[in-house]
Amino acid sequence: MATKTTAEKLATIQKGYTLEGATIELGAAIIDGELHKDAPVRLPLAMMNRHGLVAGATGTGKTVTLHMMAEQLSTAGVPVFLADIKGDLSGLATAAAGSDKLRARTDSIGQAWAGKTFPVEFLALGGDGNGVPVRATVTSFGPILLSRIMELNDTQESSLQLVFYFADKNGLELIDLKDLRAVIQFLTSDEGKDKLEELGGLSKATAGVILREIVNLEAQGLEKFFGEPEFDTAELLRTAPDGRGVVTCLELPTLQTKPMLFSTFLMWLLADLFEDLPEAGDLDKPKLVFFLDEAHLLFNGASKAFLDAITTTVRLIRSKGVGIFFVTQTPKDVPADVLGQLANRVQHALRAFTPEDAKALKATVSTFPLSDYDLEETLTSAGIGEAVITVMNEKGAPTPVALTRLRAPESVMGPSEEALVRSTVAGSALLGKYGTAVDNPSAFEKLTGKAAAPTGPAVPEPAAGGPAAGGPASAGNYDVDAEARRIEEEILGRPSSRPAQAPEPQYSEPQFDEAQYSEPRESEPRASRTRAKAPRTRQAQPRQPEPQTGGMMGDLGGVLGGALGGGLKSMARSMGTQLGRELLRGVFGTSSRRRRR
């Protein structure tokens, strides 16, 4: 093949990045060692929900790249979520000061630079930092993500799913870790041993392992991440009064020592958005762009159920208007099924100091389209603030590969003053909603009979025989063993070996009056409500009964999805949908009160 001239290469890039709609400006192309500011490299705003990868060796400028992209997304009215691991993304709230060196760089790529501030919201997991506290209930977090934090094996994870299933069916709200601990202690006690046997797949020894892991989490101080008021992920979708998208920075000052919790909590945020957002199709701009820094932490040692759930979320959340950018060192850090969903690529320099580095370099080169660059040489010689880029154009085809000198951020590339961060948090509308933890009646109180600190009018006493009177609600018309036999017969295609119990007159939900412990039902739909949900106060207003539309097949779907793991989740969800029943748990085994109403 004939070698192209520099002019021909320039024309190829200019044509490939001539786009009609709104774009994110990434920088200017470098061709044959020469910078061409007349060859701008862009990313179509409408294609940001096709996901992306920002990769490169440590110190090559990945964080500055996502900083620069976040600024432009905010300006375009797109909310952004950033995990601030190093603590230097808070600089978005402070305008950068110009310098001769900076001006020379921005002029060379044709960037009209001016120092600016951006609307930033600071969050902190459980209040571990200066930001507004972010909490999730244990039941919302779900068994798959919680198993990930506790590093349970597949058998233990399946057993934890059975515990969650038992709690769901018996009206035992799992708000914090003491609730989950109380349920497992009940199942392993003399009083609860019959219930434990009914669960079949949960051995007392495995329950003990899970209980020890929960105690270990509490000893590490992680209990503060679980509780109420639970953070409503709709808060991530806000825009400022001037129309710019709010940039939400999740502060992680001490979580570098707890990487598993950090990565798993981010997936909870995504899973919650995935379950709540409606289908949107192709939009002119995304509803939200999510940057997952240190993405390799998500996948290291992950179970198959966890990886399957991530793959499903990445594949399907695009149609809900959410873009995900994974930020890591090499594409090898991301599983092939996920990597195949990432249409936009910003690859910073790689190093080839070891044989393993050389393999990673070759693997990275193989993932790019054919180009006019010698990518092995280009990727090892690119400077700081330069990257090899290919994105999806407006017609859905990859743009030409272009070595690019990237734009400079217009806010501070580093942390803002702590006083500014504190004042921003103090003035946040979210602080009043999420700033103070509450402890409402839940599984722990029901099983132990201890009252929680009152947060509203007195809660009526449970009916005789209910959980607070002596353990969780009895199965009533619901027979766990009978359902287990149905599952076994359905899967194995033969009569169950389990002993039959006396026939029940009908198959229905447990007769537990959840209204005594539940928050009032809100009449208006989620979309019309204020995005921020107020702290739950357990007002003594009756909750409307849930429609009994599930029947046997609806509950069978719940068991298959919850008790047998992620592998049968899609089948279970499909069955429930066909019967008009909303399953309580999503693709990660997550749940949320606002989805259960």
Side-chain angles (χ1 to χ4, degrees):
M1 188 173 91
T3 302
K4 289 184 179 180
T5 65
T6 298
E8 290 172 329
K9 295 175 185 177
L10 175 62
T12 297
I13 290 176
Q14 287 174 328
K15 180 180 179 181
Y17 288 93
T18 298
L19 306 168
E20 297 179 359
T23 62
I24 299 297
E25 299 290 333
L26 297 177
I30 300 172
I31 303 170
D32 292 336
E34 184 179 349
L35 179 65
H36 293 267
K37 66 179 180 181
D38 56 341
V41 177
R42 305 180 170 107
L43 196 167
L45 190 59
M47 293 293 134
M48 290 289 283
N49 69 331
R50 264 54 173 192
H51 311 317
L53 177 73
V54 179
T58 300
T60 54
K62 299 189 298 296
T63 301
V64 176
T65 295
L66 65 90
H67 187 139
M68 171 267 292
M69 294 172 69
E71 289 181 346
Q72 294 187 68
L73 286 164
S74 175
T75 301
V78 178
V80 179
F81 176 88
L82 301 171
D84 192 4
I85 296 178
K86 305 179 187 73
D88 50 8
L89 291 173
S90 63
L92 284 155
T94 304
S99 66
D100 292 341
K101 182 178 179 180
L102 177 63
R103 294 289 184 187
R105 179 184 175 89
T106 55
D107 289 346
S108 70
I109 62 175
Q111 176 183 359
W113 188 92
K116 298 177 184 175
T117 62
F118 294 85
V120 183
E121 189 76 65
F122 296 105
L123 305 180
L125 290 187
D128 186 10
N130 294 324
V132 175
V134 176
R135 302 179 186 88
T137 63
V138 169
T139 196
S140 174
F141 212 69
I144 296 177
L145 294 179
L146 192 60
S147 296
R148 175 74 169 147
I149 291 178
M150 295 193 291
E151 300 185 65
L152 301 181
N153 62 32
D154 290 345
T155 300
Q156 293 159 354
E157 179 181 310
S158 297
S159 297
L160 184 61
Q161 291 187 51
L162 287 170
V163 173
F164 271 73
Y165 171 71
F166 173 80
D168 287 347
K169 281 298 181 183
N170 289 277
L172 298 171
E173 300 90 343
L174 303 177
I175 303 301
D176 49 29
L177 289 178
K178 74 176 186 295
D179 292 319
L180 182 58
R181 187 180 68 242
V183 171
I184 296 176
Q185 286 174 334
F186 170 79
L187 289 172
T188 55
S189 68
D190 291 339
E191 184 182 7
K193 63 182 179 181
D194 292 340
K195 299 292 184 184
L196 184 65
E197 291 176 1
E198 288 176 354
L199 292 178
L202 176 63
S203 71
K204 188 169 183 178
T206 299
V209 171
I210 297 172
L211 184 60
R212 287 194 295 274
E213 290 299 330
I214 293 172
V215 173
N216 185 45
L217 290 182
E218 292 175 322
Q220 296 179 52
L222 301 188
E223 76 278 359
K224 61 188 172 184
F225 300 118
F226 298 101
E228 292 182 311
E230 182 176 84
F231 185 75
D232 187 347
T233 50
E235 309 286 7
L236 304 179
L237 304 175
R238 294 176 301 139
T239 55
D242 60 6
R244 291 184 297 171
V246 172
V247 181
T248 302
C249 285
L250 180 64
E251 216 183 346
L252 304 166
T254 64
L255 287 186
Q256 295 182 53
T257 59
K258 305 181 185 76
M260 193 74 74
L261 176 64
F262 144 67
S263 60
T264 309
F265 207 96
L266 294 187
M267 289 315 298
W268 170 77
L269 291 175
L270 265 182
D272 199 66
L273 284 167
F274 175 78
E275 294 297 331
D276 284 350
L277 288 175
E279 292 290 323
D282 292 327
L283 303 172
D284 291 336
K285 61 183 181 182
K287 295 179 180 179
L288 172 70
V289 175
F290 210 95
F291 288 93
L292 287 173
D293 204 356
E294 303 294 342
H296 65 280
L297 299 175
L298 285 172
F299 308 111
N300 290 345
S303 69
K304 185 178 185 303
F306 185 77
L307 292 176
D308 288 346
I310 292 177
T311 303
T312 300
T313 302
V314 172
R315 182 179 296 120
L316 299 180
I317 204 170
R318 177 196 65 78
S319 63
K320 300 192 175 189
V322 177
I324 307 171
F325 277 70
F326 293 88
V327 185
T328 189
Q329 294 198 3
T330 73
K332 267 185 67 177
D333 295 334
V334 181
D337 287 344
V338 176
L339 189 62
Q341 306 296 318
L342 311 183
N344 303 303
R345 300 283 300 280
V346 180
Q347 179 67 59
H348 287 263
L350 292 174
R351 307 298 178 227
F353 298 142
T354 69
E356 189 62 30
D357 291 341
K359 289 180 183 178
L361 176 61
K362 289 183 180 296
T364 300
V365 170
S366 68
T367 63
F368 279 89
L370 293 176
S371 73
D372 297 324
Y373 292 89
D374 180 343
L375 287 181
E376 286 196 31
E377 180 183 348
T378 301
L379 287 174
T380 53
S381 61
I384 296 173
E386 297 177 353
V388 173
I389 292 174
T390 179
V391 300
M392 183 178 285
N393 67 20
E394 294 161 324
K395 297 180 180 179
T399 58
V401 175
L403 175 61
T404 307
R405 182 164 296 170
L406 299 168
R407 288 168 60 96
E410 296 178 315
S411 54
V412 168
M413 292 184 285
S416 289
E417 295 291 334
E418 186 170 340
L420 174 62
V421 175
R422 289 183 180 275
S423 65
T424 302
V425 173
S428 171
L430 302 184
L431 189 62
K433 301 172 186 176
Y434 304 111
T436 304
V438 295
D439 187 13
N440 292 309
S442 50
F444 175 80
E445 287 76 24
K446 292 180 181 182
L447 290 171
T448 63
K450 296 179 181 178
T455 56
V459 180
E461 290 294 323
S474 63
N477 291 335
Y478 171 76
D479 186 348
V480 175
D481 195 68
E483 187 161 6
R485 290 198 303 276
R486 292 187 186 96
I487 296 170
E488 186 176 340
E489 290 168 357
E490 177 77 18
I491 294 175
L492 300 180
R494 58 169 173 76
S496 172
S497 59
R498 291 174 178 266
Q501 301 293 325
E504 297 290 344
Q506 63 179 3
Y507 188 88
S508 65
E509 299 288 332
Q511 304 302 307
F512 177 74
D513 186 9
E514 189 179 353
Q516 300 179 58
Y517 297 100
S518 300
E519 63 189 22
R521 177 189 295 273
E522 296 179 0
S523 58
E524 65 272 24
R526 172 184 171 88
S528 65
R529 303 202 306 261
T530 304
R531 292 201 184 282
K533 58 182 181 183
R536 299 169 185 147
T537 56
R538 299 284 194 252
Q539 300 293 329
Q541 300 176 16
R543 180 175 179 174
Q544 297 298 319
E546 298 288 347
Q548 300 294 323
T549 59
M552 179 184 74
M553 291 304 292
D555 281 315
L556 178 60
V559 175
L560 289 173
L564 298 182
L568 295 176
K569 178 69 70 177
S570 59
M571 180 179 75
R573 287 172 61 82
S574 175
M575 292 166 61
T577 301
Q578 292 169 8
L579 293 169
R581 177 184 174 89
E582 180 185 0
L583 294 180
L584 300 185
R585 297 201 170 276
V587 68
F588 278 95
T590 54
S591 180
S592 173
R593 284 188 179 277
R594 59 183 178 275
R595 296 201 297 270
R596 297 172 66 175
R597 293 173 185 158

